[in-house]
Amino acid sequence: MKYNRLNEIELYLSQKQYASIEDLLEKFNISLQTLRRVLKELQARGIITKVYGGVLFKRGNSAQPDLSQPAVHSTINIEEKIKIGELAGSLVENNDIIFIDSGSTAHYIVDFLADKENITVVTHSLDVLNAVSKYPSIHCLALGGAYHHESRSYYVDTDTMRYLFNKSFIATVGLSLPRGLTNMNFYEAAVKTKVIANSIKNYVLCDHTKFNVTAFNNFASLEKIEGVITDECPPDNYLNYFKRNNIQLFY
């Protein structure tokens, strides 16, 4: 029975990718104590990652082509990236049209959109496209162009971009008070700048290592953003700046 339960829950999670504790208790009609034992064993095997209120399936499919595998840097600080993705996902509302950027963190948002209604995701990121493909309920518009291996994204002719967004979730290489939001790639920066101009609310995905970092290419000032989503509380000078400029902080 224990073996069957483990396999049933593993199969369910492999199909859903994410499930809340309440979902698992209802689906398998087991006690919380039993579920905790099962999840502990699945975590020990490296099959799942625990997140606040639920679990994520993390075992990859070795049969997938190399192009669909995340870049090496996507596997660094994965729990922090998942938490940032969860926070970002909580800001998405039913019927939203959102832009999700490229980068090693942004695609984790998708796993937290499955239970929302009538969501449209626009992206130029291969990792986001792969993530969305698991959820038929999520509408997706892919911004095409020449594929760039390093960023795992497509270079987009921003002159042809006419989409308007309720919310955008933007990745950044650096965030600093004097220099704003910066990155290392001109083509990626052009997409970010265009999206920020076309979005009602803009949120920056920025783990703690990005604060006080300045890359050579500025794509937006901090005044352009609605909020910062990160994994740790930033230094006091950032807290004060965010408060003065009505920038929301989520961590």
Side-chain angles (χ1 to χ4, degrees), residues 90-242:
S90 71
L91 300 174
V92 179
E93 301 171 291
N94 293 341
N95 304 310
D96 269 349
I97 299 172
I98 66 173
F99 176 84
I100 302 181
D101 205 355
S102 61
S104 62
T105 301
H107 64 94
Y108 288 108
I109 299 173
V110 175
D111 289 322
F112 299 98
L113 303 179
D115 294 332
K116 301 179 187 294
E117 298 179 2
N118 194 32
I119 300 300
T120 299
V121 171
V122 182
T123 188
H124 67 317
S125 164
L126 178 61
D127 291 328
V128 173
L129 292 174
N130 283 331
V132 170
S133 70
K134 299 179 293 188
Y135 302 106
S137 62
I138 300 176
H139 310 296
C140 184
L141 296 172
L143 302 178
Y147 180 68
H148 184 241
H149 288 274
E150 184 178 351
S151 64
R152 295 178 62 80
S153 65
Y154 296 87
Y155 286 165
V156 180
D157 181 359
T158 54
D159 290 337
T160 66
M161 285 179 62
R162 298 291 185 268
Y163 297 113
L164 303 176
F165 312 102
N166 300 106
K167 301 177 180 76
S168 72
F169 298 93
I170 304 295
T172 187
V173 170
L175 185 157
S176 71
L177 296 183
R179 298 299 179 93
L181 303 172
T182 54
N183 80 338
M184 302 291 290
N185 186 302
F186 172 80
Y187 297 100
E188 286 276 307
V191 173
K192 298 174 195 287
T193 301
K194 183 73 171 184
V195 168
I196 288 172
N198 287 6
S199 181
I200 297 173
K201 294 183 178 181
N202 298 292
Y203 297 95
V204 172
L205 310 178
C206 179
D207 68 60
H208 67 279
T209 65
K210 307 296 178 60
F211 286 93
N212 292 323
V213 172
T214 300
F216 71 84
N217 190 40
N218 172 272
F219 62 85
S221 64
L222 295 179
E223 289 78 9
K224 298 287 187 180
I225 64 175
E226 182 81 13
V228 173
I229 306 171
T230 186
D231 58 332
E232 293 182 6
C233 184
D236 287 344
N237 57 329
Y238 285 92
L239 295 178
N240 295 332
Y241 181 89
F242 294 160

